[in-house]
Amino acid sequence: MAREYSGSPKHHQLESKRKRLTWILGVSGLCVLSYILGAWQNNNAPTNRSEVYTRVGCDVGSSPAAGESQPSQQVSSSSSSSSSSAALDFQSHHQVEITKSVEVQKFPPCDMSYSEYTPCQHPARGRKFDRNMLKYRERHCPAKEELLLCLIPAPPKYKTPFKWPQSRDYAWYDNIPHKELSVEKAVQNWVQVEGDRFRFPGGGTMFPRGADAYIDDINELIPLTSGKIRTAIDTGCGVASWGAYLLKRDIQAMSFAPRDTHEAQVQFALERGVPAMIGIMASQRLPYPARAFDMAHCSRCLIPWQKYDGMYLIEVDRVLRPGGYWILSGPPIHWKKYWRGWERTQEDLKQEQDAIEDVATRICWKKVIEKDDLSIWQKPINHIECVKSRNIYKTPHICKSDNPDSAWYRNMETCITPLPEVSNPDEVAGGEVEKWPERAFAVPPRIRSGSIPGITAEKFQEDNELWKNRVSHYKRIIPIHQGRYRNVMDMNANIGGLAAALSKYPVWVMNVVPANTNQDTLGVIYERGFIGTYQDWCEAFSTYPRTYDLIHASGVFSIYQDRCDINCILLEMDRILRPEGTVIFRDTVELLVKIQSITEGMRWKSQIMDHESGPFNPEKILVSVKTYWTGEAAQNQQ
């Protein structure tokens, strides 16, 4: 007997299919929701300073006792108050050369005699080179077998530097234990020792009333506060008081001085929170592009401007923007008043000034004014008249077949760097820049003209938005806006997007463009009103140890991983980073895992985080903090 069905077979089958479909959709929906919640939880960024340093594992017990000497990055380590977001675990998903299964290489501390080691300007090495034209004071980097594979120690009583703007006027004596300048320059008020600190009264050899009053004198002669002048270069800067006091007028100066008998001039400048580099005008070009600075300055900088066929003035002309100013004070200016104090004859000083005037005229500069101790010249806005004047002045000639921006280990030349061609006498060669602060976000002339391959005005604007979002993200993981950082370095600056996004904070950025990349963008950075330099990161940077608070390294190790040992790059970063300073790496997961493993042996604490756009972006972020330790403490630990 056939089995009876209570309903239609067709209807029963449809009902069953509907139930299965509903079940499948329900399970799928739950899976998707669980994945999204998990991704959101892992990508949740820490929202405050305490949280990020707890998450990267800072040891709050490693710093000195309380008081002013206490490092500023000590934080509460209560795990109950920190975010539930865990560090991203990439180790089990990615194979790299160095993994947790391999013992981490521990880098020992160097001897305390290396506490102020400057590898490429090491006096003992420099003495082996030619003293002619001061070549021995130029960059002479150690060979591979000479590299130090150890950590440069901080002085035993190192303290976190004063915050800006207090740091402009004060620095801890224990951080730079050198009294030489306070003795040698006592009359000139460069620096004074007051108890446990240095005070910088703002004095200088040629501005006994202080840098502020001296800058006011300059402002009466040329416009410093209109926004037209933004970038400046100070040759032979001393402790950079001129650059320090220009900052409140929204002028950013690149100050440089050689490592010489006046101990630690550049170190003092950077300790104050003022941009500076170790450098000298000798035989090689300054490491800056052509048409970079709106103003150049020399206050008794002891550079023989009139010698070597005017080569040093010709180099200043190369880096000076069309219409830019050159300011000279000190010998031989106003020699009729000072010649006895300078211990030189009137004839000698007059001859020197006449020679300088002659070189300036031959390179087409016009003298704006000479008043009291100041003499000011101006570079022409284009070379139409300068080319015509070669019929009168046979030397120096205008350079031919030359890349004017080429400046990394490139010898200076005694020919005039040509300006871009113009169609009429009133046109600014290369294009006019906007006044500051609009200049920071206006499309730079080099991009407008299409001279930077692959970078259009549209891409420039996109880059601005990109870095605005990135800095907003960084604010959630490190204390950018709290005054913790002052000296910032961008190791691969591209077109200066990070510096522009940080311009509203009390920081300055050393924008570095790798010298061996295909795209030279440093000229664009200067056109935006920021400063920077060329650098090969297989070599050491021209600065003292412990001079940067925050280092940003985006894609640096992708560039250099096959060119040199990344251990050496990381050790150099450790050298120039202050105790408790921060590094932000952006790179592939594989490289970041490798970097993290190496830095564990350098006493850094770090954590890999997702890209600001979320976990699906293959680029990740590694935030590292250099722990506090000193040479004395390190020796006790051994």
Side-chain angles (χ1 to χ4, degrees):
M1 184 176 176
R3 185 175 180 181
E4 294 183 0
Y5 291 93
S6 60
S8 165
K10 193 172 184 179
H11 176 77
H12 177 78
Q13 290 170 3
L14 289 173
E15 185 80 19
S16 177
K17 285 182 180 179
R18 274 199 296 268
K19 287 180 180 179
R20 281 201 301 271
L21 183 60
T22 302
W23 184 82
I24 290 169
L25 288 173
V27 171
S28 300
L30 285 171
C31 289
V32 170
L33 182 61
S34 298
Y35 182 83
I36 292 171
L37 286 171
W40 173 82
Q41 186 178 18
N42 278 334
N43 193 47
N44 186 28
T47 56
N48 57 56
R49 172 181 169 186
S50 176
E51 188 178 324
V52 68
Y53 290 110
T54 300
R55 282 172 55 176
V56 298
C58 268
D59 180 2
V60 298
S62 64
S63 300
E68 286 187 304
S69 64
Q70 184 175 359
S72 64
Q73 278 186 237
Q74 293 186 8
V75 293
S76 170
S77 60
S78 173
S79 58
S80 61
S81 64
S82 66
S83 170
S84 60
S85 172
L88 299 174
D89 180 15
F90 294 108
Q91 308 291 11
S92 59
H93 305 292
H94 297 270
Q95 297 298 317
V96 292
E97 293 178 30
I98 299 177
T99 66
K100 294 295 182 182
S101 61
V102 179
E103 185 177 352
V104 173
Q105 179 184 355
K106 299 288 186 181
F107 293 94
C110 303
D111 186 84
M112 273 302 298
S113 62
Y114 288 99
S115 181
E116 294 180 357
Y117 183 50
T118 53
C120 296
Q121 283 95 0
H122 190 46
R125 184 179 301 105
R127 284 192 286 270
K128 301 175 184 177
F129 292 86
D130 190 355
R131 300 185 73 84
N132 180 46
M133 294 180 69
L134 302 179
K135 291 179 183 178
Y136 73 104
R137 287 186 180 171
E138 293 181 320
R139 285 176 59 89
H140 301 291
C141 298
K144 187 176 181 179
E145 58 273 13
E146 296 178 275
L147 295 173
L148 295 179
L149 297 179
C150 53
L151 305 173
I152 302 297
K157 297 180 181 179
Y158 181 87
K159 303 177 181 69
T160 300
F162 292 95
K163 288 185 178 181
W164 183 266
Q166 191 180 12
S167 65
R168 186 192 69 181
D169 302 322
Y170 293 98
W172 296 114
Y173 174 80
D174 286 329
N175 290 9
I176 320 172
H178 293 288
K179 291 185 178 179
E180 293 91 338
L181 278 175
S182 65
V183 175
E184 290 183 36
K185 303 292 183 180
V187 178
Q188 297 160 13
N189 274 332
W190 280 26
V191 57
Q192 297 172 355
V193 180
E194 295 182 351
D196 61 352
R197 65 193 67 186
F198 290 108
R199 186 171 73 86
F200 301 91
T205 308
M206 291 308 301
F207 32 95
R209 294 183 296 125
D212 223 14
Y214 175 78
I215 293 168
D216 284 340
D217 291 341
I218 296 173
N219 189 47
E220 291 180 5
L221 307 178
I222 57 174
L224 296 183
T225 56
S226 66
K228 190 173 182 180
I229 295 174
R230 165 62 181 173
T231 57
I233 183 169
D234 190 12
T235 55
C237 64
V239 295
S241 288
W242 188 71
Y245 283 87
L246 278 175
L247 286 167
K248 73 178 188 179
R249 296 164 174 85
D250 279 335
I251 297 174
Q252 201 167 77
M254 174 69 80
S255 301
F256 72 85
R259 176 159 188 164
D260 62 1
T261 53
H262 298 324
E263 287 287 350
Q265 294 179 77
V266 167
Q267 192 176 16
F268 273 120
L270 287 158
E271 190 74 10
R272 300 173 69 183
V274 179
M277 288 177 63
I278 300 173
I280 189 169
M281 296 197 79
S283 67
Q284 295 175 347
R285 282 181 172 180
L286 300 173
Y288 316 120
R291 312 194 316 274
F293 298 99
D294 304 312
M295 176 170 62
H297 175 257
C298 163
S299 176
R300 196 165 184 170
C301 60
L302 306 180
I303 296 172
W305 299 110
Q306 77 284 8
K307 292 186 177 180
Y308 312 115
D309 299 320
M311 186 170 68
Y312 297 139
L313 268 188
I314 291 170
E315 174 63 2
V316 171
D317 179 78
R318 182 185 72 85
V319 300
L320 204 58
R321 277 195 58 76
Y325 298 96
W326 183 57
I327 303 166
L328 177 63
S329 65
I333 304 304
H334 212 173
W335 56 266
K336 291 180 181 179
K337 176 181 177 181
Y338 294 113
W339 68 276
R340 288 187 180 88
W342 290 338
E343 297 180 351
R344 292 174 60 183
T345 65
Q346 297 184 65
E347 292 75 13
D348 180 36
L349 287 162
K350 181 180 184 305
Q351 185 179 27
E352 181 181 341
Q353 179 155 357
D354 289 346
I356 291 173
E357 301 270 11
D358 181 61
V359 174
T361 300
R362 287 175 177 274
I363 61 176
C364 307
W365 291 4
K366 292 184 179 178
K367 193 166 189 178
V368 176
I369 193 169
E370 182 172 326
K371 183 179 180 183
D372 298 327
D373 298 340
L374 291 164
S375 195
I376 302 177
W377 285 262
Q378 187 174 24
K379 178 178 177 175
I381 61 171
N382 58 58
H383 272 171
I384 289 179
E385 293 299 322
C386 194
V387 170
K388 293 178 181 177
S389 72
R390 294 312 91 187
N391 295 326
I392 302 171
Y393 303 112
K394 303 301 180 183
T395 59
H397 65 276
I398 295 177
C399 302
K400 297 178 181 178
S401 303
D402 178 39
N403 176 5
D405 293 341
S406 177
W408 187 248
Y409 291 122
R410 175 72 179 270
N411 287 334
M412 291 185 196
E413 299 185 57
T414 53
C415 57
I416 302 170
T417 300
L419 289 173
E421 293 184 4
V422 295
S423 55
N424 67 75
D426 298 323
E427 186 180 346
V428 176
E432 194 166 4
V433 294
E434 298 286 341
K435 291 183 178 181
W436 185 263
E438 290 77 16
R439 182 171 170 177
F441 295 98
V443 180
R446 295 185 199 219
I447 292 178
R448 287 203 309 263
S449 67
S451 61
I452 309 295
I455 302 180
T456 62
E458 291 75 19
K459 288 187 177 181
F460 173 77
Q461 301 296 358
E462 289 172 6
D463 190 74
N464 285 337
E465 286 301 311
L466 174 73
W467 283 104
K468 179 181 176 183
N469 292 334
R470 285 182 174 178
V471 168
S472 178
H473 180 65
Y474 292 163
K475 277 179 62 180
R476 295 194 290 270
I477 58 178
I478 62 172
I480 288 176
H481 58 297
Q482 296 177 17
R484 170 63 188 87
Y485 308 115
R486 172 62 184 170
N487 300 353
V488 180
M489 174 178 284
D490 191 351
M491 293 177 68
N492 185 21
N494 192 24
I495 56 176
L498 174 65
L502 289 175
S503 59
K504 61 182 177 181
Y505 301 109
V507 304
W508 65 271
V509 180
M510 178 67 77
N511 294 281
V512 178
V513 171
N516 37 20
T517 53
N518 295 326
Q519 197 168 57
D520 182 358
T521 54
L522 192 54
V524 168
I525 290 168
Y526 275 95
E527 287 181 341
R528 299 186 72 173
F530 303 112
I531 59 171
T533 183
Y534 296 111
Q535 170 69 22
D536 180 350
W537 285 114
C538 291
E539 300 179 359
F541 194 75
S542 292
T543 191
Y544 281 83
R546 302 173 299 281
T547 46
Y548 286 88
D549 304 298
L550 173 64
I551 299 176
H552 189 270
S554 177
V556 172
F557 291 87
S558 289
I559 296 172
Y560 284 96
Q561 63 176 329
D562 298 322
R563 297 183 182 179
C564 50
D565 188 349
I566 70 170
N567 287 273
C568 295
I569 300 176
L570 289 166
L571 286 169
E572 172 62 7
M573 294 171 72
D574 182 82
R575 183 185 76 88
I576 67 178
L577 188 65
R578 287 173 172 164
E580 299 193 298
T582 303
V583 180
I584 298 176
F585 300 90
R586 303 180 71 96
D587 230 306
T588 63
V589 172
E590 286 75 16
L591 273 173
L592 293 185
V593 171
K594 184 174 182 178
I595 290 166
Q596 185 179 34
S597 180
I598 296 170
T599 58
E600 283 182 7
M602 294 165 45
R603 311 188 193 197
W604 291 15
K605 301 296 182 183
S606 57
Q607 177 185 332
I608 296 178
M609 301 177 180
D610 273 323
H611 190 276
E612 62 272 1
S613 65
F616 305 111
N617 194 308
E619 182 181 76
K620 304 299 176 186
I621 299 170
L622 173 65
V623 178
S624 299
V625 176
K626 177 179 175 178
T627 58
Y628 178 91
W629 63 276
T630 69
E632 184 178 63
Q635 300 306 319
N636 292 339
Q637 291 166 9
Q638 303 307 310

